[in-house]
């Protein structure tokens, strides 16, 4: 069901073959990169794929899962594989914004203040347990995520590219935490829910990690510069008007489910923002890129749709009372909105 | 006065007392057992015969008449011969015995009826005996005279009044236009009804719409839809060709009860196919090929060759025939019956 006025104007026919060739060329590193990460991480293919989507689109990722699911290890391995500068920040209640972005230090030799950049100046930031830091630290991080620059004293410093924040939060132990406001959660492109590994994977983890001394050598597969170049190829991935309309329909269905005859209206307090539309398209392109495809198909949208929309659909008290989760609602929407 | 004169005077008094009866309450008059004869009416004249008791205080008279009054009576219509006794006083003052049926010539009696009447305007009462007669043939007819026996009380002796018969002429049968009109109207109405029925029957038979063929089975309908796909290629709209081909394939999958998703993507279908038994997986490969090719054309702006289009058509037809074999039979039957 297309809303009137949302169809894009007719564009000149794209050279899909050229795009396909470009994507195949630029995406050759993907399999090698996934292979390197798989040397360390058992399973969690969806998480690794979403992390790559985040890197390829510049979209930040919020990971939610109980401790011990290799969230930190996965991010560290990814950073090693692309030889990017990696910083891990353990968010605690006494953390200050300066601990994150840096501060001005007085130099006694020359009697001047010089900036000391904080750990945020890295390619990959792992903000561990982001909900344990107070709101002002969260704001400082999220502002940097949005602006991709940091101001220390009166000097503004651009952040390195690629710049990606991977934040984790623990769904349990909510005491003494500062839950992220919806407006700040919305800045994360993807919210991943990490689940336990399967029995076979658990056995494999035991085999690999059973020794007290582990020696994993992850080879560098790609440079940060190549990642930036790959991003341009991702941007070039063709997305048809029918897919664009499908994305708009999905986002509108979160706001006006009744128009799409989806019986979840009483469960939704607020639907997804236009940022969801943007991120759905970008993530779908990156997903197609990971599949070495130069065009988006509906399956790309469906695959990443839940991770893009689950934290953007705010449910009502009625939904909470009936133990309906955002995942339930989003899945229902994907099942009901007609695929082009 | 002599004895003979006294005897005559006594007899006269008794007669006067008997004649007055209980109605008049007067002295009865003399009883005359001899019926009074009414003169025979002339032939062709209105039939009327009268008789009356010779009494000064009490009077009763009888008359016979034919209704309707005519000179010639049609041979096909009945007529009424009426004998009536009329007297002054109350209805119950006189008991009149039903007379015998009159002798009839060239007539037959169909039925008889009796009626009593009071006539307040004249202070009289009457007893009417009606004989409905049916002419037998044309020519002269005769109704014989009748004797009306009556009595003025239970203890009184009966007396009788005699009416003469009447002569009638039976003529040609008369056309009963009213009857003819009624029968004619009924006949015309019947003819009209028969004609209308015939016309409707003729129209139904002659202009009968050919019976609609039974609705095609869902798979037959899909095959027909697939056969019409080439129109999109003629118009140069390959995206529409593959869009409809995909739609047909999805409908076939749903009809076969294999894939409950409303509109599966090629990837979803491929993943599902991997979980199926080998023979089913191989049988459904053409459907997968259709979905994948449709995605390439519709979302990657691919321009397939004519051979690829033909191959897609064949894949679609093969997929439909294989899905039809897999589809539950009762579902096909239900769809056909509906």
């Amino acid at each position: 069901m297309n809303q009137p006025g949302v169809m894009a104007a007719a564009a000149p026919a794209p050279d899909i073959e050229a795009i396909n060739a470009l994507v195949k060329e630029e995406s050759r590193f993907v399999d090698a990169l996934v292979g390197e990460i798989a040397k360390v991480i058992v399973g969690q293919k969806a998480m690794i794929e979403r992390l790559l989507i985040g890197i390829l689109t510049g979209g930040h990722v919020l990971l939610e899962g109980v401790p011990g699911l290799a969230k930190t290890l996965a991010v560290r391995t990814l950073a090693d594989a692309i030889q990017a500068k990696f910083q891990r920040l353990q968010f605690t209640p006494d953390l200050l914004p300066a601990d994150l972005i840096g501060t001005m230090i007085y130099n006694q030799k020359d009697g001047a203040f010089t900036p000391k950049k904080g750990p945020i100046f890295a390619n990959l930031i792992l903000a561990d347990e982001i909900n344990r830091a107070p709101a002002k630290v969260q704001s400082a991080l999220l502002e940097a995520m949005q602006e991709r620059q940091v101001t220390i004293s009166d000097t503004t410093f651009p952040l390195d590219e690629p710049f990606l924040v991977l934040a984790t939060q623990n769904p349990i132990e909510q005491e003494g935490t500062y839950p992220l406001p919806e407006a700040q959660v919305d800045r994360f492109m993807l919210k991943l829910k990490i689940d336990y590994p399967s029995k076979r994977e658990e056995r494999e983890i035991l085999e690999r990690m059973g020794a007290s001394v582990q020696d994993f050598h992850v080879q560098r597969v790609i440079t940060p510069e190549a990642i930036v170049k790959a991003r341009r190829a991702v941007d070039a991935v063709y997305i048809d008007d029918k897919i664009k309309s499908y994305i708009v329909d999905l986002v509108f269905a979160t706001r006006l489910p009744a128009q799409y005859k989806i019986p979840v209206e009483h469960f939704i307090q607020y639907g997804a923002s236009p940022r969801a539309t943007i991120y759905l398209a970008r993530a779908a392109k990156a997903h197609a890129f990971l599949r070495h495809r130069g065009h988006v198909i509906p399956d790309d949208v469906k695959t990443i749709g839940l991770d893009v929309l689950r934290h953007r659909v705010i449910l009502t008290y009625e939904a909470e009372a009936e133990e309906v989760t955002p995942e339930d609602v989003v899945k229902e929407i994907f099942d009901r909105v007609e695929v082009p | 006065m002599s004895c003979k004169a006294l005897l005559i005077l006594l007899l006269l008094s008794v007669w006067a007392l008997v004649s007055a009866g209980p109605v008049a309450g007067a002295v009865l008059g003399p009883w005359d057992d001899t019926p009074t004869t009414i003169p025979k009416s002339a032939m062709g004249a209105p039939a009327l015969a009268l008789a009356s008791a010779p009494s000064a205080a009490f009077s009763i008279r009888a008359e016979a008449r034919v209704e309707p009054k005519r000179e010639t009576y049609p041979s096909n219509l009945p007529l009424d011969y009426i004998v009536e006794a009329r007297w002054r006083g109350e209805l119950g003052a006189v008991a009149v015995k039903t007379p015998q049926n009159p002798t009839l010539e060239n007539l037959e009696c169909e039925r008889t009826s009796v009626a009593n009447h009071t006539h307040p305007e004249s202070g009289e009462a009457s007893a009417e005996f009606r004989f409905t007669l049916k002419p037998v043939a044309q020519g002269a007819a005769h109704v014989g005279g009748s004797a009306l026996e009556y009595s003025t009380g239970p203890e009184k002796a009966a007396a009788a009044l005699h009416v003469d018969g009447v002569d009638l002429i039976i003529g040609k049968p008369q056309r009963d236009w009213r009857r003819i009109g009624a029968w004619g109207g009924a006949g015309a109405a019947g003819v009209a009804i028969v004609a209308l029925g015939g016309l409707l029957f003729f129209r139904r038979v002659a202009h009968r719409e050919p019976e609609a063929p039974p609705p095609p089975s869902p798979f037959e309908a899909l095959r027909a839809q697939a056969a019409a796909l080439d129109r999109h290629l003629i118009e140069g709209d390959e995206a529409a060709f593959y869009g409809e081909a995909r739609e047909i394939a999805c409908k076939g999958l749903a009809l076969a009860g294999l894939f409950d998703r409303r509109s599966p993507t090629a990837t979803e279908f491929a993943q599902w196919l991997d979980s199926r038994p080998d023979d089913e997986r191989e049988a459904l490969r053409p459907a997968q090929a259709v979905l994948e090719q449709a995605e390439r054309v519709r979302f990657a702006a691919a321009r397939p060759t004519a051979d690829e289009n033909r191959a897609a058509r064949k894949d679609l037809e093969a997929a439909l025939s294989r899905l039809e074999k897999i589809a539950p039979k009762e579902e096909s039957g239900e769809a056909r019956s509906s």
Side-chain angles (χ1 to χ4, degrees), chain A residues 107-246:
Chain A
N107 191 334
Q108 288 183 335
K109 283 184 182 173
D110 51 15
F113 283 93
T114 55
K116 172 148 178 67
K117 292 180 179 176
I120 201 167
F121 289 88
N123 297 119
L124 288 178
I125 306 291
L126 176 61
D128 231 350
E129 298 194 86
I130 190 172
N131 55 342
R132 294 208 178 274
K136 56 187 178 183
V137 181
Q138 292 175 358
S139 291
L141 175 67
L142 295 165
E143 191 179 340
M145 286 163 56
Q146 187 68 25
E147 305 298 330
R148 295 182 184 273
Q149 63 183 23
V150 169
T151 302
I152 302 171
S153 185
D154 56 353
T155 309
T156 299
F157 300 93
L159 295 171
D160 298 337
E161 282 293 341
F163 172 69
L164 184 68
V165 174
L166 305 164
T168 69
Q169 62 180 12
N170 189 346
I172 57 174
E173 298 175 13
Q174 294 297 311
E175 286 179 27
T177 62
Y178 303 87
L180 291 172
E182 276 79 13
Q184 295 189 352
V185 176
D186 195 48
R187 295 183 186 182
F188 287 97
M189 179 184 191
L190 305 172
K191 181 180 178 182
L192 312 181
K193 284 205 166 179
I194 314 300
D195 207 353
Y196 289 107
S198 67
K199 206 169 182 178
R200 187 184 55 78
E201 289 169 346
E202 193 89 24
R203 177 64 189 267
E204 178 67 22
I205 292 167
L206 175 65
E207 296 293 337
R208 286 197 204 177
M209 306 291 183
S212 57
V213 179
Q214 289 139 19
D215 187 18
F216 297 116
H217 292 288
V218 178
Q219 290 185 348
R220 192 182 80 172
V221 175
I222 188 172
T223 62
E225 293 74 26
I227 291 287
V228 175
K229 194 179 168 194
R231 280 182 181 178
R232 285 196 285 273
V234 170
D235 288 340
V237 169
Y238 173 69
I239 182 164
D240 192 82
D241 283 344
K242 291 185 278 294
I243 305 282
K244 290 176 186 170
S245 297
Y246 178 50

Side-chain angles (χ1 to χ4, degrees), chain B residues 271-288:
Chain B
Q271 287 169 352
W272 172 83
L273 208 55
D274 286 341
S275 66
R276 306 303 295 176
D278 288 346
D279 52 343
E280 194 176 292
R281 186 163 55 238
E282 288 311 310
L284 294 176
R285 287 286 181 215
Q288 186 187 3

Side-chain angles (χ1 to χ4, degrees), chain B residues 38-231:
Chain B
I38 300 170
K40 188 181 284 186
S41 60
M43 290 290 282
L48 179 63
L50 291 170
S52 61
S55 170
F58 172 75
S59 67
I60 183 167
R61 66 182 189 278
E63 68 172 27
R65 62 179 185 276
V66 177
E67 288 183 354
K69 287 181 182 175
R70 288 186 171 200
E71 288 186 0
T72 305
Y73 290 88
S75 62
N76 62 331
L77 295 179
L79 55 99
D80 285 335
Y81 173 68
I82 300 163
V83 178
E84 184 186 45
R86 184 178 283 229
W87 62 92
R88 181 173 295 278
E90 293 179 359
L91 189 61
V94 178
V96 182
K97 191 177 174 184
T98 303
Q100 293 287 324
N101 282 7
T103 57
L104 299 172
E105 290 176 15
N106 198 22
L107 292 166
E108 287 177 353
C109 183
E110 280 192 332
R111 60 181 179 274
T112 60
S113 62
V114 179
N116 293 322
H117 302 288
T118 56
H119 308 277
E121 70 280 1
S122 58
E124 290 180 325
S126 64
E128 181 187 281
F129 304 95
R130 183 181 293 258
F131 302 91
T132 301
L133 307 176
K134 181 183 170 189
V136 175
Q138 293 182 38
H142 177 72
V143 183
S146 297
L148 275 179
E149 290 184 15
Y150 71 93
S151 65
T152 54
E155 297 174 359
K156 302 295 181 184
L161 295 168
H162 186 80
V163 289
D164 283 345
V166 291
D167 292 319
L168 303 169
I169 297 172
I170 307 299
K172 290 181 181 176
Q174 186 186 358
R175 288 181 180 168
D176 187 351
W177 290 110
R178 199 170 165 185
R179 204 168 179 180
I180 290 170
W183 278 105
V191 169
I193 289 168
V194 170
L196 184 65
L199 182 67
L200 290 173
F201 179 75
F202 172 77
R203 286 187 62 178
R204 204 163 180 180
V205 170
H207 301 287
R208 183 180 287 169
E209 300 258 340
E211 282 188 13
S217 75
F219 277 101
E220 283 169 2
L222 289 180
R223 268 195 289 274
Q225 195 180 346
L229 275 176
D230 283 347
R231 70 185 189 283

